[in-house]
Amino acid sequence: MDGDGDGDVLAGRNTTDGIVWFENNGNENFQLRNIETEDARVSQNLAVIDADNDGDIDFFAPDANTRAIRLFENAFHFDFVVGENSSIAGEATVAAGDVTYTLSGTDAQTLNVDENGIIGFNLPPNFEAPLDANTDNVFDVVLTATEGDQSVDAEISITVNDATEGPLFQAATPVFSRNNIVTDADQPRVVVATDIGGNGVVDLITANENSTSLNWLQNNGSESFSQQTISSNFANARAIVTTDLDSDDDIDVLAVAEGSNRISLFTNDGNERFTQTNNFGFINDIQSLFTIDIDADGDTDVLSVADNSADWYENNGVGQFSNSRNIDRELVGGQSVYAIDIDGDEDIDVITASRLDNTVAWFQNDGNQNFTRRDIATDVAGARSVFAIDIDADGDSDILVASEFDDSITLFENTVSSNFERRLITNEAIGAMSVRAIDVDNDGDLDVVSASSGDDTIAWYENDGNKNFTEHEVAVDADFAIDAFPADIDNDGDIDIATASFGDNTVAWFESTPTFSFTVAEGSQDPVVTRAVPAVEMETEEVVIYTLNGDDSDLFTIDEQGNLSFVDASDFENPVDADEDNVYNLSVTANFGGIDIEAPVEITVSNVNDAPTISGAPATSVVEGEGFSFAPEVLDTDGDSLTFSIENRPNWAVFDEETGTLAGTPGAADVGTVEGIVISVSDGSESASLPPFSITVAAAPVVATPPTTDNSSSGGGSASYLSLLLLAALGFRRKERLRKQN
């Protein structure tokens, strides 16, 4: 059944999906394989034969549902799984004899096949920057084996796994630290990250505006670089691309310099010695290059954009190129070119950005390299850089544009029938110069990286998975930042960024350190998540093991899922972190497969506003004419500014809203009781109140006052008074005698 020289077994049963075959491994051990029957209900009667004369075994079976005889055609399919940086994808020898092999299909331009059917990568695959058409690290091609006038096809799927078998932190926010490589580059204009040495580490290729050298910054594997010269006769660089152009399995360099009007190919002899050839025709003012197999013939072709034209150059398979073949002659200030399948018809279309007519356009390939122009937008002011990838993971290619004059990074989302919906990512990238996309924070979606010259900024824009982007600054001191190329430069599984800053003559790389930063409310013991996952899915019972380190690690626990919690509830007013500033610093280490990764963790405790407290027992009565005063006692642990209020204030009293004092002197008209008096205090968001109380105003007591004598009247005044006293005394004595007599 599978053409491997041993006998397999085909079986059918009278059920839906009832055909299976058992693959013989050559040692009479068999593995069950199901055959898709598309809901046919087949019987046990199967007829086996090479029905289409293509060298493999097909079979016929009756379908009980349709009462028809159905042919099940055998199509070879190979599935390979390789690690990133692998040069060999797999061996797919599908025929014997004098056979030649060719590749076609979506990802044929990234692979090669030798005379033995061994498939290899033109460039070692980079898991973090996938090169397959769908950018999902699954390369799909069709391998054709031909002998004489007979041929057979096999479908090939090659899955690339991450080379790091240890863990990776999920959704940690990268913090970038600057590492200068060259600080006297004389106005560097372009930087490209690639493994030029083929040793599994990322090198950098750079060129400068005002020097004559094209340089290879060789990564020594220990975060240091040594500068090698590819060419000392290359002035005024405009564009660089790197790929295998002569099909010898090493990385070549393609570059163009302003004023030369010629594309230069620097072929690598496999030992990082480069030979310059200029086998391209003249094109005025070339600004941008791109490489891809545009004609699906198994080798890598070249595209260019110049001031007023877009062209492509056909590769004959060994690095010899045709004269320019026109795509468009109506660009105005062409700046950037990219190529990818835009319309899902499995051929390569072309995208351009032109700066002077503010236009982003795509050119639809009819499959025979005849192109039809379709403008996407004509108001992208100073369109400078274009990049295409499936940003929203919906199966089609979207377009990113950096536009210099309107300071914007824009996403053009590919929708139905290759129409585009415009989404602004930012309009604050002053003088935007370059844009690329990659998963910066390892959360499974594609983020965006930009360089902008007017604000000296390298930035990345975090995708939340729903095409909403949050800006994060990488650097704001990259003087006239002109290019930013994301790649895993230190080979630690996360994305770093290489940069060229024109104004300070610097080529640098910014190392990414995954960092967790959280803000939690005081008192909360809900966990924060610092989860890591294996970089490669493996069938193993081994789990990620977490440990904590750092100044404040003893104050936390972490469980087997990476959930980090306070041992004791935090108290903003009484911080217990090492610096007593409510910022807790520690690190979490995740181990899987014997490999450790570490991430800093910063947890900031925010203040939860505590309501103020109020207390005091006011007097409940007062006599008219006497003074009354009461001031409550208050406490606010947050030190907030406080205000007071009152309900049912007595008319005779005044209330101070700043101190809460109730004071006054009631009069005779105020005699009575005022009930339901409530004094409250507020800090602006929380408040507290005294229990309701009453104040009763009592009338003042009446005191008898002796009459007064006016001595200025006629002289009988004093005698009259004495007479009255005497009569009163006599009356009393008479009453007393009568009492005793009775």
Side-chain angles (χ1 to χ4, degrees), residues 424-547:
L424 181 68
I425 295 176
T426 184
N427 58 2
E428 297 181 352
I430 310 303
M433 302 296 281
S434 76
V435 64
R436 292 180 174 90
I438 199 168
D439 185 3
V440 174
D441 54 0
N442 190 41
D443 63 353
D445 50 45
L446 290 170
D447 309 300
V448 177
V449 177
S450 72
S452 46
S453 60
D455 55 8
D456 307 327
T457 295
I458 308 296
W460 73 282
Y461 306 86
E462 181 180 0
N463 185 353
D464 68 355
N466 293 311
K467 295 161 289 185
N468 302 307
F469 295 87
T470 301
E471 181 178 355
H472 300 274
E473 292 175 343
V474 176
V476 294
D477 58 352
D479 190 1
F480 204 92
I482 199 167
D483 201 7
F485 199 114
D488 183 7
I489 293 173
D490 53 3
N491 205 29
D492 62 354
D494 50 50
I495 297 301
D496 312 300
I497 302 176
T499 64
S501 44
F502 191 87
D504 57 12
N505 303 316
T506 297
V507 176
W509 72 283
F510 291 83
E511 181 179 2
S512 171
T513 300
T515 302
F516 292 99
S517 181
F518 306 100
T519 298
V520 299
E522 66 170 315
S524 172
Q525 288 189 283
D526 293 336
V528 295
V529 179
T530 58
R531 186 163 297 133
V533 296
V536 180
E537 290 188 10
M538 302 171 64
E539 294 183 3
T540 176
E541 295 182 358
E542 190 171 3
V543 296
V544 177
I545 299 172
Y546 298 92
T547 54

Side-chain angles (χ1 to χ4, degrees), residues 565-609:
S565 303
F566 280 95
V567 173
D568 298 312
S570 58
D571 182 353
F572 184 85
E573 286 72 33
N574 298 287
V576 293
D577 59 289
D579 295 327
E580 297 184 350
D581 61 357
N582 279 303
V583 179
Y584 293 76
N585 291 290
L586 61 158
S587 65
V588 58
T589 299
N591 178 281
F592 183 82
I595 299 175
D596 286 339
I597 59 170
E598 185 177 17
V601 180
E602 181 180 274
I603 300 174
T604 301
V605 172
S606 64
N607 188 24
V608 173
N609 185 50

Side-chain angles (χ1 to χ4, degrees), residues 26 101 204 212 567 579 602 638-639:
Y101 297 91
L204 303 179
T212 60
V567 173
D579 295 327
E602 181 180 274
D638 303 315

Side-chain angles (χ1 to χ4, degrees), residues 34-70:
N34 289 310
I35 295 176
E36 174 60 51
T37 58
E38 298 178 350
D39 296 327
R41 192 176 186 86
V42 301
S43 73
Q44 298 93 325
N45 299 314
L46 306 175
V48 178
I49 192 172
D50 182 6
D52 51 4
N53 199 33
D54 63 352
D56 54 45
I57 299 299
D58 313 302
F59 66 91
F60 292 91
D63 183 354
N65 289 336
T66 63
R67 298 181 181 277
I69 303 296
R70 299 189 62 175

